[in-house]
Amino acid sequence: MDRIQAMRILVRIADSGSFAETARQLNMSPPAVSRAVAGLEGLIGARLLTRTTRSVKLTEIGARYVEDCRQILAAVEEAEAAASGSFAKPTGSLTITASVMFGQIYILPIVTEFLDLYPEVTGRLVFLDRVTNLIDEGLDVAVRIGHLPDSSYSAIKVGSVRRVVCGAPEYFDREGVPARPASLATHRIIAATSAWTSLDWRFGREEKETVRVSPGLFCNSNPAAIEAARSGWGLTRILSYQVGPDLVSGQLQTVLEEYEEEPLPVHIVHPEGRNASAKVRTFVDFAAERLRANRFIN
């Protein structure tokens, strides 16, 4: 008995719910399909399927065995693909996720450059301001800002960013520069009401301090809050990468730098580890090089 082929047949029966349909899909005779299942059951010494005139169902043992078969067959396919050379060349669909603003500013140009180099890859971008589950949501690679929980994912650090308080030079000329976090009580505050923001602004590395701000303006997006600060209306707190070009041009200036928290790391994350396909491995290496060279996140 070809055990691998018998496993494929069993998995196909589990998916289709029919011996006849499985035989048709695999271009086999129904008796040959039945013999394959009987051979597995004889080898294992347990019934894997229960059959009635109308349906085919997995037994409890059969359900567990089918899941194991799926993993074994996936490993076999990976080995065959590696041997045939398909893992050596990036091909197929590649899905990358990141937070909305970071993705639009930094990941999008990296992906389009990558696709120009590897035209047999199709890119799909998913920019969301929430933590995604890579496996459940069918995502290949994530770029994440912040400390990572322990997991089996592979993670490569590519930089770090800071939470900064910033405003326009004309605002500081008019209202003065806050000397310490508590001084924010006397300043106009612009708050972004995105998923990651809070009115409790934390400061300090060793000596922690929390200041509850009272915004005069709420914006439902970070770009809007930044634009309001750029206009000279007030101060906002934002991640440094979001205002990097404004800080370089002088349109915005940071204050209270000596009170900032520890920087937040930036990682490229993927779930495939050393068995990653060529498209994932090549993109991760490519993106890591580009992001590490970006002064706004390093």
Side-chain angles (χ1 to χ4, degrees):
M1 179 183 63
D2 183 339
R3 193 181 304 181
I4 295 298
Q5 176 64 3
M7 287 180 176
R8 290 193 179 103
I9 293 170
L10 178 64
V11 169
R12 192 67 66 94
I13 292 171
D15 291 339
S16 69
S18 167
F19 275 67
E21 177 61 20
T22 296
R24 188 190 66 78
Q25 291 177 5
L26 298 178
N27 195 28
M28 298 174 63
S29 68
V33 170
S34 295
R35 283 195 299 272
V37 173
L40 282 177
E41 290 179 330
L43 182 69
I44 296 167
R47 179 172 289 278
L48 300 174
L49 297 166
T50 57
R51 284 173 270 183
T52 68
T53 55
R54 294 188 176 183
S55 67
V56 176
K57 293 184 179 180
L58 291 167
T59 63
E60 184 177 349
I61 293 173
R64 292 198 302 268
Y65 185 69
V66 163
E67 290 309 306
D68 290 338
C69 287
R70 292 186 195 279
Q71 295 180 23
I72 292 168
L73 293 173
V76 169
E77 288 173 4
E78 284 187 7
E80 291 172 346
S84 69
S86 66
F87 267 34
K89 184 178 181 181
T91 60
S93 178
L94 179 67
T95 305
I96 303 108
T97 185
S99 59
V100 174
M101 198 167 177
F102 191 91
Q104 291 173 350
I105 297 173
Y106 299 111
I107 302 305
L108 176 59
I110 291 174
V111 171
T112 54
E113 184 183 359
F114 180 81
L115 296 179
D116 284 340
L117 292 173
Y118 300 99
E120 293 186 39
V121 177
T122 301
R124 176 172 170 256
L125 297 176
V126 181
F127 295 152
L128 298 167
D129 285 332
R130 64 172 175 82
V131 176
T132 52
N133 186 307
L134 300 189
I135 295 175
D136 290 350
E137 298 182 49
L139 306 170
D140 296 306
V141 179
V143 181
R144 290 187 170 158
I145 299 172
H147 299 285
L148 298 174
D150 292 335
S151 74
S152 59
Y153 292 173
S154 295
I156 301 172
K157 186 178 179 181
V158 293
S160 61
V161 297
R162 301 146 45 216
R163 286 194 179 93
V164 299
V165 178
C166 60
E170 55 266 36
Y171 175 85
F172 296 121
D173 291 342
R174 186 177 72 247
E175 304 293 341
V177 176
R180 55 180 301 108
S183 305
L184 293 171
T186 63
H187 285 265
R188 279 182 169 180
I189 301 298
I190 305 160
T193 56
S194 63
W196 305 105
T197 56
S198 169
L199 298 184
D200 291 320
W201 288 9
R202 297 188 300 274
F203 295 90
R205 299 189 181 187
E206 296 179 3
E207 295 186 13
K208 306 292 185 181
E209 181 179 358
T210 301
V211 175
R212 181 77 174 181
V213 296
S214 299
L217 174 63
F218 292 88
C219 300
N220 73 340
S221 72
N222 289 327
I226 293 168
E227 181 59 35
R230 196 184 290 128
S231 74
W233 193 89
L235 306 180
T236 194
R237 195 181 197 208
I238 215 77
L239 291 176
S240 57
Y241 80 83
Q242 298 171 333
V243 291
D246 292 308
L247 298 177
V248 171
S249 69
Q251 287 186 281
L252 291 173
Q253 298 174 359
T254 60
V255 294
L256 303 172
E257 292 96 337
E258 64 269 35
Y259 296 98
E260 289 175 2
E261 296 178 288
E262 289 280 354
L264 298 169
V266 181
H267 290 91
I268 299 176
V269 178
H270 66 94
E272 296 186 55
R274 63 183 180 85
N275 294 319
S277 60
K279 65 183 179 183
V280 170
R281 287 186 286 105
T282 306
F283 177 77
V284 168
D285 291 343
F286 181 84
E289 181 181 358
R290 295 297 188 274
L291 290 172
R292 284 172 176 157
N294 189 321
R295 60 176 172 165
F296 297 134
I297 63 168
N298 284 283

